[in-house]
Structures are given as structure tokens and as C-alpha cells.
Amino acid sequence: MSNGEATRSLIFERQMKHPPEKVWRALTESHLIAEWLMENDFVPKVGHRFTMRAVPLPGWSGIVNCEVLAVEPPHRLSYRWGDGTESDSGLVTVVTWTLTPRNGGTLVRMEQSGFRAPDELASKRMGKGWPRVLEMLDDVAGRTN
């Protein structure tokens, strides 16, 4: 991305009735992430490298190599999604979660930035999947203590 290549972002928002602290737990506790996204070895610590693991799809190994970039409880979480390797389909993006208290609950904003022209298939797949992921996150957050 440093070569001046144009990139695009996917942005999805969902109003949840849960307080930011409950949504934050669902975003940052590995066993809860596994319920709404993928199996993982996530730790909310800047610099921590982790993997997300799912069933492989054509053109994708089912593994996403990630690194935590920002942890600001309970308002902002950011991680690199993909490391550009073949297992990640060459993808290198950044996922940023922003939690804003609103209407007695939380406005959850997810932005995945950095899609390049060669990432069009991945962008389309993920663009179709993120709304359902946010729905599942909402469900998991509602079940946390």
C-alpha cells in the first residue's frame, strides 16, 4: 500500500442494545471470538501475532495471519488481517472495530481497509459475510456476563 496504489474499504455498522463493555468482551476474548468469527489464538495485546482458522475455500487456505495493531478498551480494536502470503491469498488489510455508546447500547462500526485491485474476489466474499458476522457478534455479546 505504500506504493500509492488505490485501495478500498468495507464498512459496516450495527446498533446493538448491549453496553460497550459486553461487546468489547465478545471482540477480545478468544473463546467468544470463536463463536462469532473463527477459531483463533487472539490476545488483546499490541504486537501479538495470531491466526484465525476456518474451513478452506477455493483460493483460500482457511487461515488468516493477523497482528494486533491497537487496543483501546472498550472503544477501539484494530488488527492486520492477512500477511500477504499465499495462505492469505496475498491479502493484507486492516480490520478496525470502533464502539460508540449510543441510545443505551453500542454503535459497532467495522472497517476493513486496504483492499487492492487484485483483492476484488476476497473483498466481494468478505463484503457478503461481514453483515452476518456482525449479527452473530451481537448475539454473542448479548450472552456475555
Side-chain angles (χ1 to χ4, degrees), residues 122-144:
S123 173
K124 285 182 179 178
R125 282 182 178 167
M126 297 175 107
K128 289 178 182 176
W130 279 120
R132 175 74 179 123
V133 168
L134 282 166
E135 185 180 316
M136 292 185 296
L137 170 63
D138 193 352
D139 181 60
V140 171
R143 292 186 275 116
T144 63

Side-chain angles (χ1 to χ4, degrees), residues 6-39:
T7 62
R8 25 180 321 260
S9 296
L10 297 173
I11 299 172
F12 294 96
E13 292 184 339
R14 183 177 177 102
Q15 176 67 37
M16 298 184 186
K17 61 184 176 184
H18 327 294
E21 294 75 16
K22 288 184 94 167
V23 179
W24 184 258
R25 282 195 59 216
L27 280 175
T28 60
E29 294 185 17
S30 180
H31 71 283
L32 295 175
I33 296 167
E35 290 186 40
W36 61 268
L37 188 56
M38 289 184 249
E39 291 294 325

Side-chain angles (χ1 to χ4, degrees), residues 1 3-9 89-93 113-124:
M1 287 179 267
N3 63 3
E5 184 178 5
T7 62
R8 25 180 321 260
S9 296
S89 307
L91 190 66
V92 181
T93 59
S113 60
F115 287 101
R116 304 157 302 150
D119 303 326
E120 188 172 350
L121 178 59
S123 173
K124 285 182 179 178

